[in-house]
Structures are given as structure tokens and as C-alpha cells.
Amino acid sequence: MPTFSIYIDKSYERRDKKYAVSIRVTQNRKHAYLKTDYYVVPQRLNKSFEVKDKTLLKLLLEKIEDCEDIIVRGLGNDVSNYSAKDIVEFIKKKQNEVSCIDFIAFAKKYVAKLFEAGREKRAKHIQTTINALVDFSGQELNIVKVTSKFLEKFEEFLRSERTIVRVNQFGREVTTKRKPLTDTGVHDYMADIRAVFNEAIDFYNDDELGDPVIKHYPFREFEVVKPNPPKKRNIYLENIRKIMNLENGLRRQELARDVFMLSFFLVGMNTVDMFNVPYSSRKNGRITYQRSKTKDRREIMQRYQ
């Protein structure tokens, strides 16, 4: 099994007086080096030129753990047949696989598949969430950046008043202001992000091979806020009587009264279903119909049957 350690080249100092930090891989007494994104100032090093900053040290040790995990899962017992240089190249390849995943691009493809499957309502809902994510992070978002801290900042963004730009039906950009979301709104947006992230894991990871491309799961640390409890919609008998006996000569209000009372007597039947239900479905005082609200789900079920 190769060994991993933190390495800082004393002979190479940048103009800003910082040193590059690398991970040294040792296999059969030979070394190879894996560059990191970290640089360190002399004040964060001890006399032996070792990192003494606890925060940076923790990040580097976590990176070493990731490297070890990649080797164990990807090479297993065959690692003894690889040189230190081969091991570094293997780690780079695996890291590049996940770094090439654009979360927003994947989400847009997922939305397109929902539209193709006839799940229009679900697709539009997720599309709204992705639009907000683009407003926050830009058109591209590496999936490795979707962490619990990123989600916390995104939630702060959703809870703030924000200005958005959208293209209307005439192809013109329209700027509007959005009010801060409530707990219910934040819950719905975050649930959509979680759903897309789960889809990405199912698409890229292979449980049988045991070598996942996407190794992190931000929703273990980030807790999605619970939605506000729905308001009670009970209507009292005296209010029903007031509505039923409304006579004010205003045609539109009286039409609204009639539609409401019809829905009430039909145990909450939706207006769209009243409009679409064919006359032939009425038989012996009973109405048989299929709800428009569940149309998308019925079509999906029929395709799988």
C-alpha cells in the first residue's frame, strides 16, 4: 500500500512569498507528487517546514483520506503493481471525472426528460428552482462545489429580496424583484436540489463496482427546513349559508357562488374537472371522472404497465 504525506518544496518560493503544497505518494521507495490548490506562507510552517496551521492541516489530511479512498476502491489489491507515478495519474483521472460534472447542465437535462415523460408540472417546478440556482451561482456549477456550506448560502439568497432577469414570451429581458421565500418556499426549492443531486448519483455512480464518481452528499450535513404547517381551511356552517343565500345582482359574483356551491356539494370537485367531465360520465346520480391534477402521474404509470 502506498503512503501519502504532505510535501512542501523549500527550494521553490513564489514572488508573493508563498509555497505550493503537494501530496507526496511513496511506493517502493520512489516518490511522485500530486499538486493541490493550497499555498502556504512561512508563518504557517514550523522550523521543520511542516504545516502548523490547524485549519489547513485538517483540509490536507482530508485530501489524503480522499486519495487513499480512491486507491482502495479503484485499485484494491492490484495497487502493488502500480508505480508511484501511475498511482498519481490514477488519482488525477478519478478526480477529473467528478470535476467535469456540471450540476446545472445535468439538472437541465433531467428537466428535459421530465417534459418528455409527460411530467410537465414537476418539470416546471424544478426548472424554477434551477433558474434561482443560476441567479445565485451562474450558468455553470461544478458538482463538487455543491456542499452543505454552499446550500446554506443559497438558502440565505432565497430568503433575501433579490432582483432577477428573465426573458418574456417576446424574447425581451424583463427585470423584476422577488420577495424573500418563506420556510415552505425554501423547503420546496431545497427538495428539488436534493432530488436532482440524487438523480446525479444514480446516473454517475455504480454500486456494483463500488467505485463512486460522486463521493460527497451535502444533505447529510445540511438539514432541509420543514415547511410551514398548512392553515386550517375548515369553513363553518353559517358561512356556507351566507354564501348559498348571496343575492346581490352581480352576475360574476353569483356565478362564483354557484361554482363554489357545486364544488362543495360534489365533495370538493375541482373546477377544471367540472368543465372537462363528459356528459356520458353521469349515470344514476353518480359522476365518474379522472382528475386533471393526477394526469401526469397516470400517464407515467400507463407507460410502465
Side-chain angles (χ1 to χ4, degrees):
M1 182 71 182
T3 59
F4 298 84
S5 59
I6 301 169
Y7 176 78
I8 298 170
D9 189 354
K10 301 179 184 178
S11 63
Y12 182 71
E13 183 182 24
R14 301 198 320 176
R15 291 182 179 179
D16 58 1
K17 304 298 182 181
K18 292 181 180 179
Y19 295 91
V21 182
S22 302
I23 302 298
R24 181 166 63 187
V25 181
T26 303
Q27 176 83 319
N28 298 326
R29 298 183 180 181
K30 293 185 178 181
H31 308 299
Y33 300 91
L34 182 67
K35 293 182 179 179
T36 72
D37 297 327
Y38 301 111
Y39 292 86
V40 61
V41 294
Q43 292 81 356
R44 293 189 175 186
L45 301 171
N46 59 23
K47 294 181 180 179
S48 301
F49 236 67
E50 298 172 339
V51 176
K52 65 179 182 179
D53 182 273
K54 292 183 179 180
T55 301
L56 179 59
L57 187 60
K58 180 182 178 182
L59 293 171
L60 290 169
L61 291 176
E62 288 176 354
K63 195 169 185 66
I64 288 177
E65 288 182 6
D66 290 340
C67 292
E68 291 174 338
D69 186 62
I70 289 173
I71 293 303
V72 170
R73 291 177 180 273
L75 299 179
N77 295 328
D78 292 336
V79 68
S80 58
N81 299 323
Y82 287 75
S83 67
K85 185 177 180 180
D86 292 336
I87 291 171
V88 168
E89 292 303 317
F90 182 82
I91 292 172
K92 287 181 180 179
K93 179 182 176 181
K94 288 298 180 182
Q95 290 177 337
N96 286 337
E97 285 180 1
V98 66
S99 66
C100 291
I101 301 174
D102 184 343
F103 183 74
I104 290 176
F106 178 84
K108 290 180 178 179
K109 290 180 181 178
Y110 178 58
V111 168
K113 287 183 179 180
L114 290 176
F115 275 116
E116 291 176 4
R119 300 180 63 184
E120 185 174 336
K121 293 179 182 178
R122 180 64 176 147
K124 287 182 177 179
H125 197 284
I126 294 181
Q127 183 62 65
T128 300
T129 299
I130 299 306
N131 288 342
L133 190 60
V134 170
D135 293 334
F136 174 69
S137 65
Q139 292 291 339
E140 296 181 358
L141 176 61
N142 193 311
I143 198 167
V144 297
K145 294 183 179 180
V146 184
T147 62
S148 58
K149 291 184 179 179
F150 174 88
L151 295 176
E152 288 173 2
K153 292 180 180 178
F154 181 48
E155 180 174 336
E156 291 178 6
F157 172 76
L158 295 175
R159 292 185 183 277
S160 64
E161 186 178 90
R162 56 200 187 280
T163 302
I164 65 170
V165 179
R166 296 287 185 270
V167 178
N168 64 14
Q169 65 269 34
F170 305 109
R172 300 173 183 172
E173 289 188 349
V174 179
T175 302
T176 58
K177 284 190 176 182
R178 290 287 176 88
K179 295 180 179 179
L181 293 183
T182 62
D183 284 351
T184 300
V186 171
H187 171 271
D188 292 345
Y189 275 58
M190 290 303 181
D192 286 343
I193 297 294
R194 182 172 56 192
V196 175
F197 201 97
N198 289 340
E199 286 292 329
I201 288 176
D202 290 342
F203 182 83
Y204 286 102
N205 289 3
D206 192 330
D207 292 336
E208 292 184 2
L209 295 178
D211 185 21
V213 175
I214 303 172
K215 296 180 173 63
H216 74 296
Y217 191 65
F219 292 94
R220 289 194 186 95
E221 299 294 331
F222 178 81
E223 185 176 354
V224 178
V225 65
K226 294 181 180 180
N228 296 322
K231 295 181 180 179
K232 293 183 178 180
R233 298 181 179 178
N234 299 344
I235 186 167
Y236 297 102
L237 180 59
E238 56 267 27
N239 292 331
I240 291 290
R241 286 175 177 155
K242 288 179 182 179
I243 295 172
M244 185 168 57
N245 296 324
L246 175 66
E247 296 286 350
N248 60 6
L250 298 176
R251 185 176 177 183
R252 290 179 65 86
Q253 289 190 15
E254 291 182 354
L255 175 61
R257 172 205 62 196
D258 294 341
V259 172
F260 171 82
M261 293 308 304
L262 180 58
S263 175
F264 178 76
F265 290 131
L266 292 173
V267 198
M269 185 176 184
N270 286 336
T271 308
V272 65
D273 293 325
M274 294 182 203
F275 181 80
N276 291 327
V277 65
Y279 183 79
S280 58
S281 64
R282 302 173 179 89
K283 187 176 180 181
N284 298 327
R286 180 183 293 272
I287 297 176
T288 303
Y289 69 100
Q290 290 185 330
R291 298 179 65 195
S292 299
K293 184 177 181 180
T294 58
K295 178 183 177 182
D296 290 351
R297 279 176 281 175
R298 289 200 310 273
E299 290 180 352
I300 296 298
M301 290 299 296
Q302 289 171 1
R303 293 183 186 188
Y304 284 102
Q305 287 177 352

